[in-house]
Amino acid sequence: MKAGGAATPQMMRRVNAHAALAFLRTTGVATGTDLMAATGLTRASVIAVCEDLLRRGWISELDSGRETGSLKGRPARRFELNPRAGFVVGIDIGAATTTAVVADLRGTIVGKASRSFRSAEIPARERIEVVNQACGEALAEAGTGPAAVLAVTAGLAAPVDRDGNVLLTKQFWRKFDVGLRTALAERHGWRVLLENDANLAALGERWRGSGVGVNDLVVILASERMGAGIIESGRLLHGHSGAAGEMGYLDMIEGVGSADGIAYLAREWFARPGEPPTVEAREVFAAAAAGDPAAVLVMDRLAERVARVIASVAIMANPEQVVLGGAVADSAGVLLPGIMERLPRFTATVPRVTASPLGDSIVTVGAVRHALDYVEAHALDLELPAGT
Amino acid sequence: MKAGGAATPQMMRRVNAHAALAFLRTTGVATGTDLMAATGLTRASVIAVCEDLLRRGWISELDSGRETGSLKGRPARRFELNPRAGFVVGIDIGAATTTAVVADLRGTIVGKASRSFRSAEIPARERIEVVNQACGEALAEAGTGPAAVLAVTAGLAAPVDRDGNVLLTKQFWRKFDVGLRTALAERHGWRVLLENDANLAALGERWRGSGVGVNDLVVILASERMGAGIIESGRLLHGHSGAAGEMGYLDMIEGVGSADGIAYLAREWFARPGEPPTVEAREVFAAAAAGDPAAVLVMDRLAERVARVIASVAIMANPEQVVLGGAVADSAGVLLPGIMERLPRFTATVPRVTASPLGDSIVTVGAVRHALDYVEAHALDLELPAGT
DNA sequence: TGAGTATATTTAGATTCTATCTAAATTGCT
DNA sequence: AGCAATTTAGATAGAATCTAAATATACTCA
């Protein structure tokens, strides 16, 4: 039996450096005294940690103009995260398009680029090439290059386990996964982390969405496909093979015959009998908002369906809040009343339900947060690129 | 923003002592070299940790008779957990009865006592008295007294949050919760931890049941009531208010009209139309095993129901294994084939499904594990009773 | 008896924390 | 201008913990 343990003095410093960096990221500028309060360490320790981070280039010290705090006493040294000491890349890889964003160490998006795939069936090699181009373009917009990238997180619509391995899914994604990782690692020396897109959406909402600071949060990403990202006690749930919250099959439980997502169903249901469902989901949402009876009926069926999904996750994970992201977020204004009305019939623990404000960037924002988490936790192990 | 952090040297020692204790609990006797391998520490550190634990009475050193390992070289010092240095109490508090068990530091049950409540409606004060009597009797059987108790865990059929608070439930349990805690604390000076009974069942199965060593494990405790204990990545899921896995309302999702449990349904379904359902669940299980057609039909409906519940939790939490505990475990031989046949239709991630071997002690075993976890994590903070 | 071996113990050193004292820089009052 | 008060910085000493390396110990086997 391996006990994992083995705490070393170096671990302490890593933990404390992580705490200091995380604090500096959120506050911008902080004095030693601020950091003492935030970390619980003594002044000497705080200064030692800061000197360490200064020496390695992670933070810088401002001229001691006294901007904040009290006006008495010796002016405090003010430390600041060096935002452009390095960058992270967040990638959303969908079936039809991919988006890469570049963010600095404070999480500010400084570059963004999207590309469409020639078709949904292109080989992995070509797909990787397109993703790589998007990264290059985003980096160019950010005014930096591959050498400044400290970590990359890519979101996929497939189960990804805790170690970033893609399992349990089409051979296609499995090839793609390894291919992407090795291609970017070999070409640029990047550390590439993979994660499920709904999981990243959850991280995004908790960071900059409608679930800021909520430690038991579920994000339901529902567009062409449906998946839940579940955060419990501040940690992402993966499950044994990374499929936690993957609801491709949930329809079977509910007796609905299709494994497709919300937008698809809206189209399908709204189509005139006999005609092919060509109408766009957005149009259905708009028609419902305008009062079209057929569209209203469709929205009611959607609300029922989403309410059942929320209830199911509420029973199993008991989140404080559920955020709807993806295509449903567009129609949340119409859907939410119908959802909230039904929820008490399905579950005793009704969560707060909101719509995502992040729109299309829900996955990339989460990918940035994920990559930054990695970077902050490994700050003292990572070598910053020279000359910043 | 509070960063929680603040690692101190003392924390290192606590972590390492915990690792050493956990290893000693599982292996029985260990040498310094064994502990070096288990913890990754150097010999000097291992010995220092052991000296610390020796001085405080947690472990003892055996005469260096060379029993194990190689026969060459200087004989190793052999350390052993001092099993009777202290005890923990695990309590299962049901509606009709309560059971208390006493375990030593290795988890061996050394005392056990059950009591029935006069009725299900007795006031909290009386209920607490009965629980206290059961504890006293179990301690007497263990040949020890209240002063030797290091921690107590009690399992309730109610949501309990991470901090051991009972929320979201009948006023009755809330009174009972606080009452039990303060009564036992004041009377004996005990540290009382509360936890949901299904959660404890999960800990029990992972420790000494059919899910040993499984880090993504779900236990479905189904008797008069249904609840799931969910372990993800080795940690219990609680959710925002401790209701994660509480399935009192799941029937609504599935369109079944009753919130009652498996045993109740079996009785109900098996009853002749017009007659009151007086037959015992166990009799239905037996009749089905004997081939009675009506009973077989009931078991088939049960299998369908349980399969849907397993699928629901499999989709949300993606466990490696699901263990059936409580009354269903008795009939697992009959139920399992029907469950396994249905599962692939309900979920893409079919877990291994087994029946609990722990029987009635599923909750108390888990309660002991829970209390021992607390004790081991706080070994260096707890004062052992003198004279052991 | 001596070689070999595995372990224990000791010693020195590194890292990191805390605690405490003194010095510095600034404001505000007289 | 000078002084007190205030707040922070920096320096020093001390404690806890780890590692690493050298030395001592106790046993087996030939």
Side-chain angles (χ1 to χ4, degrees):
Chain A
M1 188 171 186
K2 184 174 54 182
T8 65
Q10 286 78 359
M11 277 180 48
M12 284 196 289
R13 178 51 66 90
R14 255 193 288 268
V15 168
N16 291 334
H18 185 163
L21 273 183
F23 183 75
L24 283 168
R25 171 171 52 73
T26 59
T27 58
V29 180
T31 66
T33 306
D34 295 336
L35 286 164
M36 287 170 66
T39 61
L41 299 173
T42 59
R43 169 162 272 112
S45 306
V46 163
I47 296 291
V49 168
C50 286
E51 293 289 356
D52 220 349
L53 292 170
L54 277 170
R55 191 164 4 92
R56 292 166 200 256
W58 288 91
I59 64 177
S60 42
E61 191 170 352
L62 283 76
D63 303 335
S64 54
R66 161 174 282 171
E67 309 278 309
T68 25
S70 77
L71 296 178
K72 299 176 186 171
R74 175 173 174 167
R77 290 172 72 176
R78 292 182 305 153
F79 303 100
E80 180 190 42
L81 192 62
N82 204 345
R84 296 181 68 91
F87 298 88
V88 297
V89 177
I91 313 177
D92 179 7
I93 303 177
T97 64
T98 187
T99 303
V101 304
V102 175
D104 65 23
L105 290 183
R106 295 201 55 185
T108 307
I109 308 289
V110 291
K112 178 171 181 172
S114 294
R115 296 269 170 139
S116 293
F117 299 119
R118 193 159 47 79
S119 94
E121 309 296 329
I122 61 173
R125 172 186 292 268
E126 183 180 341
R127 193 174 289 258
I128 290 167
E129 209 47 52
V130 173
V131 170
N132 187 51
Q133 287 168 12
C135 291
E137 194 179 323
L139 281 170
E141 185 185 329
T144 183
V149 172
L150 297 170
V152 177
T153 293
L156 312 174
V160 181
D161 75 7
R162 291 179 195 105
D163 306 322
N165 301 308
V166 178
L167 307 166
L168 282 185
T169 188
K170 292 178 289 190
Q171 193 59 26
F172 164 73
W173 278 116
R174 306 189 65 162
K175 261 192 215 156
F176 178 73
D177 129 22
V178 181
L180 182 72
R181 202 193 310 239
T182 57
L184 296 184
E186 285 174 10
R187 218 176 289 190
H188 311 297
W190 291 349
R191 169 85 193 185
V192 180
L193 313 168
L194 300 179
E195 198 26 293
N196 174 267
D197 56 356
N199 284 355
L200 294 182
L203 293 181
E205 288 296 329
R206 195 163 89 109
W207 185 33
R208 290 183 168 172
S210 86
V212 172
V214 179
N215 286 324
D216 297 287
L217 179 74
V218 168
V219 171
I220 294 177
L221 195 60
S223 324
E224 299 303 324
R225 181 186 141 271
M226 186 135 74
I230 305 173
I231 293 174
E232 200 269 352
S233 200
R235 292 162 17 98
L236 269 181
L237 256 56
H238 288 90
H240 179 56
S241 45
E246 284 288 309
M247 290 187 286
Y249 280 69
L250 195 66
D251 49 283
M252 291 186 165
I253 285 184
E254 297 167 24
V256 181
S258 160
D260 293 275
I262 291 296
Y264 177 87
L265 286 177
R267 270 204 298 277
E268 183 90 354
W269 288 339
F270 195 59
R272 300 291 173 279
E275 290 175 27
T278 52
V279 62
E280 275 296 311
R282 255 163 246 265
E283 297 177 52
V284 185
F285 299 157
D292 179 301
V296 168
L297 180 63
V298 166
M299 298 311 284
D300 206 53
R301 291 171 69 182
L302 271 186
E304 172 87 12
R305 192 181 158 86
V306 173
R308 286 182 188 277
V309 169
I310 293 176
S312 194
V313 76
I315 287 170
M316 291 304 167
N318 184 27
E320 179 180 358
Q321 180 177 354
V322 172
V323 179
L324 300 178
V328 266
D330 300 335
S331 58
V334 185
L335 280 176
L336 272 181
I339 292 172
M340 296 313 290
E341 176 203 328
R342 285 171 172 91
L343 272 182
R345 296 210 301 276
F346 297 151
T347 173
T349 53
V350 176
R352 184 164 67 246
V353 181
T354 60
S356 164
L358 296 179
D360 286 342
S361 52
I362 187 169
V363 175
T364 50
V365 167
V368 165
R369 179 66 262 149
H370 188 266
L372 283 176
D373 280 341
Y374 175 85
V375 168
E376 283 169 15
H378 295 83
L380 297 185
D381 306 323
L382 291 173
E383 199 69 35
L384 284 180
T388 29
Chain B
M1 187 171 187
K2 183 173 53 182
T8 66
Q10 287 79 357
M11 277 180 48
M12 285 196 288
R13 177 52 65 90
R14 255 193 289 266
V15 168
N16 291 334
H18 185 161
L21 273 182
F23 184 75
L24 283 168
R25 172 172 49 75
T26 59
T27 59
V29 180
T31 66
T33 307
D34 295 335
L35 287 164
M36 286 170 66
T39 60
L41 299 173
T42 59
R43 170 163 269 114
S45 305
V46 163
I47 297 291
V49 168
C50 286
E51 293 289 355
D52 220 349
L53 292 170
L54 277 170
R55 190 163 5 92
R56 293 167 199 254
W58 288 92
I59 65 177
S60 42
E61 189 170 353
L62 283 76
D63 303 335
S64 54
R66 162 177 284 172
E67 307 278 310
T68 25
S70 77
L71 296 177
K72 298 175 184 171
R74 174 173 174 169
R77 290 172 71 175
R78 291 181 306 154
F79 303 101
E80 180 189 41
L81 192 63
N82 205 346
R84 296 181 68 91
F87 298 88
V88 298
V89 178
I91 313 176
D92 179 7
I93 303 176
T97 65
T98 186
T99 303
V101 303
V102 175
D104 65 22
L105 290 184
R106 295 201 56 183
T108 306
I109 308 288
V110 292
K112 179 170 180 172
S114 293
R115 295 269 169 137
S116 292
F117 299 118
R118 195 161 44 80
S119 94
E121 310 297 328
I122 61 172
R125 171 186 292 268
E126 184 179 340
R127 193 175 289 259
I128 290 167
E129 210 45 53
V130 173
V131 170
N132 187 50
Q133 286 168 11
C135 291
E137 194 179 324
L139 280 169
E141 186 185 329
T144 184
V149 172
L150 299 170
V152 177
T153 293
L156 312 174
V160 181
D161 74 7
R162 290 179 195 105
D163 306 321
N165 301 308
V166 178
L167 308 165
L168 282 185
T169 189
K170 292 178 288 190
Q171 192 59 25
F172 163 71
W173 278 116
R174 305 190 64 162
K175 260 192 216 156
F176 179 73
D177 129 22
V178 181
L180 182 71
R181 203 193 310 239
T182 56
L184 296 184
E186 283 173 11
R187 217 175 290 189
H188 311 296
W190 291 349
R191 169 84 195 187
V192 180
L193 314 167
L194 300 179
E195 190 39 286
N196 174 267
D197 56 357
N199 284 355
L200 293 182
L203 293 181
E205 289 295 329
R206 195 163 90 108
W207 185 34
R208 290 182 169 174
S210 87
V212 171
V214 178
N215 287 324
D216 297 287
L217 179 74
V218 168
V219 170
I220 294 177
L221 195 61
S223 327
E224 298 303 324
R225 177 186 145 272
M226 187 135 72
I230 306 174
I231 294 175
E232 201 269 351
S233 200
R235 294 162 17 98
L236 269 181
L237 256 56
H238 288 89
H240 179 55
S241 45
E246 283 288 308
M247 290 187 286
Y249 279 68
L250 195 66
D251 50 282
M252 290 185 164
I253 284 186
E254 298 167 23
V256 181
S258 160
D260 292 276
I262 291 295
Y264 177 86
L265 286 178
R267 269 203 298 278
E268 182 91 354
W269 288 339
F270 195 60
R272 297 292 173 278
E275 292 176 24
T278 52
V279 62
E280 274 297 311
R282 256 162 245 265
E283 297 177 52
V284 185
F285 300 157
D292 179 301
V296 167
L297 181 63
V298 166
M299 296 313 283
D300 206 54
R301 292 172 70 182
L302 271 186
E304 171 86 12
R305 192 180 159 87
V306 173
R308 286 182 188 277
V309 169
I310 293 177
S312 194
V313 77
I315 287 170
M316 291 305 167
N318 184 24
E320 179 181 358
Q321 181 177 354
V322 172
V323 179
L324 300 178
V328 267
D330 300 335
S331 57
V334 185
L335 280 177
L336 271 181
I339 291 172
M340 295 313 290
E341 177 203 327
R342 285 171 171 89
L343 272 182
R345 297 209 301 275
F346 298 151
T347 173
T349 52
V350 177
R352 184 163 66 246
V353 181
T354 60
S356 165
L358 296 179
D360 285 342
S361 53
I362 187 168
V363 175
T364 50
V365 167
V368 166
R369 178 68 262 149
H370 188 265
L372 283 175
D373 280 341
Y374 174 85
V375 169
E376 284 169 15
H378 295 81
L380 297 185
D381 306 324
L382 292 172
E383 199 70 34
L384 284 180
T388 26

